[in-house]
Amino acid sequence: MNNIELINASCADQTVDAVVNAANSGLWAGGGICGVIFSKAGMKELTGACSKYDTPLKDGSAVITPAFNMKNAKAVIHAVGPDFGRTPAAFKELFDAYYNSLKVLMDNGHHSISFPLISSGIFGGALSNPAGESAKQCLRAYKKFIADYPDYGVDVKLCAFSPSEMIKAQEEFKRDAFDCSRQKEFCRKYYMLLRAIYEDAELQKWCNDYSVYAQLTEHNGLEHILYSVFMQEAYDENLVIHNYREVIDEGGLDERMISDPTDEFIDHLNEQQIIACIAWHFRRDHFSEGSLISDSIGNGRLLRYFEALTGR
């Protein structure tokens, strides 16, 4: 059975198969939770086990050692979180740190794990809400893992050490509770249509050039699908959420990035934010430019959001 819970505690104190250390790339004893875990496991023993790995490790990677003197765990998984002030790929690397830890857990036959909020300390100093971002990427990694390995049960404890971190992480867990099953189903239904249009140069150009204010001379059938079917169902299935602007503003999302998203931008969005970005494209194209969302379809930007939401 799969489960994830957020608790206000130290990950080093949880009774689990594996405790996660927020490790540095050299796997040496550091401060914070890293120092606590080294102390509890045994400085000499854990340092010796870590020295067997070829370092420095890449940000986002994870390796395993025995837990030695820790009575509450069998193993320590060392996850290297990114420094948000140093690397532009930090959002993806933070996701990788969580996901790769779960992979290492499974590869070693373990089923329960306790995480700290990785990269929420000094490495998250460049973020306005590092605890929330870390919780977001943990949730994303957990969901992808159970989707990739549905038959392998994991019990995840995400541990916020301070009350202020707990509040920020709780806010992200509440956002993640948003039920987007209808929206996901809609995106799965129309994914192949969007991909087929984007991969056909003629259709792509037609979409980019289309306007409701110009007389239609070709592809009447495609216009019918986009206007009478695709657009209508998007509203009926609440893909165009009514509070999309509120979600965008609360997340501090840059409209320039929403319009033309990078991998890094999409990597740090939660599911509700992805849907809000999709809704932004629908509202802009439908009511401002009269292009029936075809502009966002032709340039493949809507397709990218559909892929992110459905995990394709």
Side-chain angles (χ1 to χ4, degrees):
M1 180 178 178
N2 296 303
N3 182 63
I4 185 170
E5 62 177 323
L6 174 67
I7 59 176
N8 191 183
S10 170
C11 69
D13 295 335
Q14 305 310 305
T15 300
V16 289
D17 292 334
V19 168
V20 173
N21 171 32
N24 51 68
S25 61
L27 297 183
W28 58 79
I33 191 62
C34 181
V36 171
I37 290 173
F38 267 81
S39 178
K40 291 189 64 149
M43 190 67 67
K44 180 180 178 181
E45 294 90 339
L46 195 53
T47 299
C50 287
S51 68
K52 297 177 182 178
Y53 285 100
D54 186 16
T55 58
L57 298 179
K58 293 181 179 179
D59 289 352
S61 61
V63 297
I64 192 169
T65 65
F68 296 107
N69 299 325
M70 296 182 76
K71 305 300 182 184
N72 56 306
K74 301 172 185 176
V76 175
I77 294 176
H78 305 263
V80 183
D83 183 344
F84 277 87
R86 188 188 70 220
T87 171
F91 292 112
K92 182 180 185 304
E93 290 167 351
L94 181 54
F95 168 86
D96 289 343
Y98 281 112
Y99 186 82
N100 288 333
S101 294
L102 293 171
K103 280 289 303 298
V104 169
L105 184 81
M106 179 183 68
D107 291 344
N108 285 272
H110 299 314
H111 291 270
S112 58
I113 189 170
S114 63
F115 284 104
L117 286 166
I118 300 171
S119 289
S120 64
I122 58 172
F123 277 11
L127 297 174
S128 60
N129 182 13
E133 186 60 46
S134 191
K136 181 192 300 182
Q137 297 304 334
C138 180
L139 285 162
R140 288 185 66 235
Y142 168 77
K143 287 186 174 182
K144 178 168 174 51
F145 180 85
I146 63 175
D148 291 346
Y149 306 99
D151 297 327
Y152 197 87
V154 290
D155 183 10
V156 177
K157 297 181 187 296
L158 180 62
C159 303
F161 188 71
S162 70
S164 60
E165 283 187 331
M166 183 67 179
I167 290 171
K168 293 297 185 182
Q170 278 179 325
E171 290 173 357
E172 194 56 48
F173 267 63
K174 289 177 183 177
R175 291 190 188 98
D176 191 74
F178 171 72
D179 182 6
C180 61
S181 55
R182 287 173 62 191
Q183 291 91 340
K184 283 185 176 181
E185 186 59 34
F186 175 89
C187 291
R188 292 190 188 99
K189 178 178 179 179
Y190 285 102
Y191 172 80
M192 290 308 299
L193 173 64
L194 266 60
R195 174 156 289 283
I197 293 172
Y198 180 63
E199 292 181 348
D200 186 298
E202 180 189 350
L203 293 180
Q204 185 181 130
K205 183 178 186 304
W206 179 85
C207 282
N208 288 330
D209 294 343
Y210 180 82
S211 171
V212 294
Y213 306 116
Q215 183 177 359
L216 189 67
T217 59
E218 58 183 352
H219 299 302
N220 301 68
L222 181 57
E223 187 211 28
H224 172 75
I225 292 172
L226 292 179
Y227 182 68
S228 300
V229 183
F230 180 77
M231 288 287 290
Q232 187 60 52
E233 284 192 25
Y235 282 87
D236 291 345
E237 296 302 321
N238 199 31
L239 184 70
V240 188
I241 55 176
H242 70 278
N243 64 332
Y244 76 99
R245 175 59 63 184
E246 178 184 335
V247 174
I248 288 170
D249 291 344
E250 286 183 354
L253 306 183
D254 188 333
E255 290 196 16
R256 293 170 298 180
M257 297 303 298
I258 297 173
S259 175
D260 189 10
T262 62
D263 289 341
E264 178 191 359
F265 176 76
I266 290 178
D267 282 342
H268 91 277
L269 299 177
N270 60 34
E271 290 179 342
Q272 188 177 28
Q273 289 171 332
I274 292 172
I275 292 172
C277 290
I278 293 172
W280 182 93
H281 277 267
F282 271 89
R283 300 288 290 187
R284 184 202 67 168
D285 285 0
H286 190 194
F287 294 105
S288 297
E289 299 177 2
S291 62
L292 300 182
I293 205 66
S294 61
D295 177 38
S296 297
I297 293 174
N299 57 38
R301 290 164 189 166
L302 203 62
L303 176 65
R304 297 190 67 194
Y305 286 118
F306 277 35
E307 289 175 336
L309 187 63
T310 59
R312 290 181 179 268

